[in-house]
Amino acid sequence: MDSDETRKAPAEAEGGRDDEARWRDGMVAGQAGDQAVYQKLLEGLLPVVQRLVKARLANATMADDVVQNALLSIHRARHTYRPERPFGPWMRTIVRNACIDALRQSGRRQEREVSVDAELPAPRDGWGAVSAQERLERAELSPELERALDALPVRQREAVEWLHVEGLSVAEAALRAGASPGAIKVRAHRGYRALRLHLEKERR
Amino acid sequence: MSPDRTQRLIGELARDLAPVHRVPRLRFSVAMVVGIVAATALIAFWMQGLRPNLADALRFDPVFGGVFVGLVLTGVGAALAAVAAATPGRQRVVRAGAATGLVGGLGALALCLVGVAGAGFDAGSPLSSDRMCLGQVFRLAILPSVALAVVLARGWTSSPLAAAALALVAGVALGAMVTHLLCVFGGARHLLLGHLSGLLLFTGLGVVPLATLLRHLARAR
């Protein structure tokens, strides 16, 4: 099980009584479905989460994704918060686990993605108005890569397209798919592997 | 950081918001598991009857009494740790419960090994009795293990493998504890193979499938 590292990082010492009370009330309202209060809570938590992540991760690019994953995890685990318990340790545990997961997966992911990344267009910002198909067309993918993408199972293709064509973060893709960030990463990894095999076969 | 993307995600999360039911309090979940074990034990006692001279065995047979105490500590400690593992921010409870369970399990194991070394491997009940009790441990472990798995599936655990191991150790230890009170056989070897070995055997067999199930449920959530 996790070790309690909450006292190790100086940035984690924050979260006074006022913050605790505000966070607790915000989460209780969020559990009841109050969207406006919940949005304020997440916006208030954002700088805290960013500091906690920065204290643990040196890689700024990775930190951005981890902050989003941590917010998504807080959202998905909100039913496990009980108002009689302090909010800070609950949140810090989730953020810490998001950091640990990211560190664990980063090495493996880089190895798997590197050969396919060269084939895919650079990730972009923005989502919603333009469909994935349109973005694929605009991205002017090579015909062989388009064929390889078409051959992927739907979930894997979606994951690859969202992350690499639409430029969504893992957390955004997870929210869109209604799955966890881990599931999105697994689908994308499987997609990358299948793409690589497909491309290698075509080039032989 | 890219503030726009993160702000957009926060907006999406707020729009995605639906009311949720909170997980029950820790003490309620533990009480539920203990209640299930108590109900199972009462039915088993009613059907099979308690071990003859149970009070004397607990008081005057140090191996029998020590293994019982060890199983209680292991079952309750691991159950507490498993339930706490389903809630973020309860690492102290997880550690305390796991440590209690470990002390109980290792203590019981040490007593059995000392008993076997003193009396010999063949002393006491026939080997077939070990299989009988092991089967009973398995049957009695099912309900508490399932109850703990439900608590874990409903919660949020950072380490499904560790949480699954704790749940299974707790379920098997509680099943072994009830078996201990029903068992008519004796001898340190029988306690080791018939009552304690299930902790390793059933946990080893079940931990990966249960962890996989928990991961799958977490991803699907």
Side-chain angles (χ1 to χ4, degrees):
Chain A
M1 201 45 54
D2 307 320
S3 59
D4 193 353
E5 298 169 17
T6 51
R7 283 158 290 164
K8 288 182 184 170
E12 296 180 20
E14 58 195 292
R17 275 186 201 166
D18 290 349
D19 285 336
E20 273 289 335
R22 205 171 52 245
W23 291 340
R24 184 193 62 222
D25 294 346
M27 185 50 87
V28 169
Q31 288 174 332
D34 189 330
Q35 295 182 352
V37 176
Y38 187 66
Q39 181 157 356
K40 271 189 191 162
L41 168 73
L42 292 181
E43 284 167 355
L45 287 179
L46 178 60
V48 182
V49 173
Q50 285 172 332
R51 275 195 291 277
L52 290 172
V53 171
K54 266 188 182 170
R56 291 185 176 278
L57 302 178
N59 184 333
T61 315
M62 188 198 277
D64 192 17
D65 265 353
V66 175
V67 166
Q68 296 193 14
N69 285 348
L71 288 171
L72 185 62
S73 292
I74 287 171
H75 177 71
R76 293 227 164 111
R78 66 190 186 280
H79 66 292
T80 63
Y81 174 69
R82 292 203 58 91
E84 66 271 13
R85 301 285 311 163
F87 186 90
W90 179 85
M91 174 196 62
R92 283 195 289 272
T93 302
I94 293 173
V95 175
R96 190 187 63 232
N97 284 321
C99 294
I100 292 169
D101 282 349
L103 287 170
R104 246 185 232 149
Q105 290 172 1
S106 65
R108 289 200 303 267
R109 194 164 64 229
Q110 278 168 5
E111 273 176 27
R112 290 179 192 176
E113 286 175 3
V114 69
S115 58
V116 182
D117 278 352
E119 298 289 335
L120 290 166
R124 301 169 177 193
D125 276 330
W127 66 319
V130 183
S131 74
Q133 185 58 43
E134 285 168 318
R135 286 184 178 277
L136 267 174
E137 284 163 7
R138 283 190 206 173
E140 293 180 356
L141 296 175
S142 68
E144 60 179 351
L145 184 54
E146 280 194 67
R147 276 198 301 278
L149 271 172
D150 284 343
L152 289 179
V154 176
R155 285 178 162 189
Q156 291 176 18
R157 190 176 65 235
E158 280 177 351
V160 173
E161 285 176 351
W162 289 342
L163 296 180
H164 276 272
V165 181
E166 296 192 47
L168 299 190
S169 66
V170 172
E172 287 172 319
L175 186 63
R176 187 185 276 192
S180 69
I184 290 297
K185 287 173 190 168
V186 168
R187 289 174 197 172
H189 288 159
R190 288 178 181 160
Y192 300 145
R193 197 172 52 202
L195 278 179
R196 191 169 57 228
L197 289 174
H198 196 281
L199 291 171
E200 282 170 4
K201 209 185 279 180
E202 283 220 345
R203 285 168 187 176
R204 256 185 241 140
Chain B
M1 303 273 164
S2 62
D4 289 349
R5 255 164 54 152
T6 308
Q7 283 298 335
R8 200 172 57 216
L9 175 69
I10 287 173
E12 288 294 322
L13 292 176
R15 271 192 293 281
D16 182 52
L17 190 69
V20 288
H21 291 290
R22 278 182 214 124
V23 292
R25 284 168 183 255
L26 195 68
R27 66 189 77 155
F28 178 86
S29 299
V30 173
M32 181 192 72
V33 174
V34 170
I36 286 171
V37 173
T40 313
L42 281 176
I43 293 169
F45 297 157
W46 175 66
M47 289 174 70
Q48 205 172 320
L50 284 169
R51 175 192 175 93
N53 302 320
L54 174 65
D56 287 344
L58 287 172
R59 279 167 59 192
F60 302 117
D61 182 344
V63 177
F64 187 87
V67 169
F68 178 73
V69 172
L71 286 171
V72 171
L73 288 176
T74 306
V76 174
L80 190 64
V83 170
T87 310
R90 304 304 297 263
Q91 279 77 22
R92 283 182 195 176
V93 182
V94 174
R95 279 200 299 269
T100 305
L102 193 66
V103 167
L106 290 179
L109 179 68
L111 276 172
C112 282
L113 291 176
V114 168
V116 169
F121 190 77
D122 293 330
S125 311
L127 281 170
S128 59
S129 66
D130 302 346
R131 278 201 305 275
M132 274 176 60
C133 278
L134 203 55
Q136 189 161 42
V137 168
F138 175 75
R139 289 190 294 277
L140 290 169
I142 290 173
L143 272 180
S145 300
V146 168
L148 285 166
V150 169
V151 171
L152 287 173
R154 170 109 174 77
W156 185 93
T157 178
S158 57
S159 174
L161 196 68
L166 286 169
L168 288 172
V169 165
V172 176
L174 292 169
M177 182 192 78
V178 178
T179 301
H180 205 68
L181 300 177
L182 299 167
C183 174
V184 294
F185 304 108
R189 191 220 63 233
H190 172 73
L191 297 181
L192 180 67
L193 296 183
H195 298 193
L196 275 182
S197 65
L199 283 174
L200 275 180
L201 185 66
F202 301 134
T203 304
L205 288 173
V207 67
V208 172
L210 181 57
T212 307
L213 179 68
L214 291 176
R215 267 196 207 103
H216 180 75
L217 290 172
R219 279 178 190 158
R221 193 182 296 140

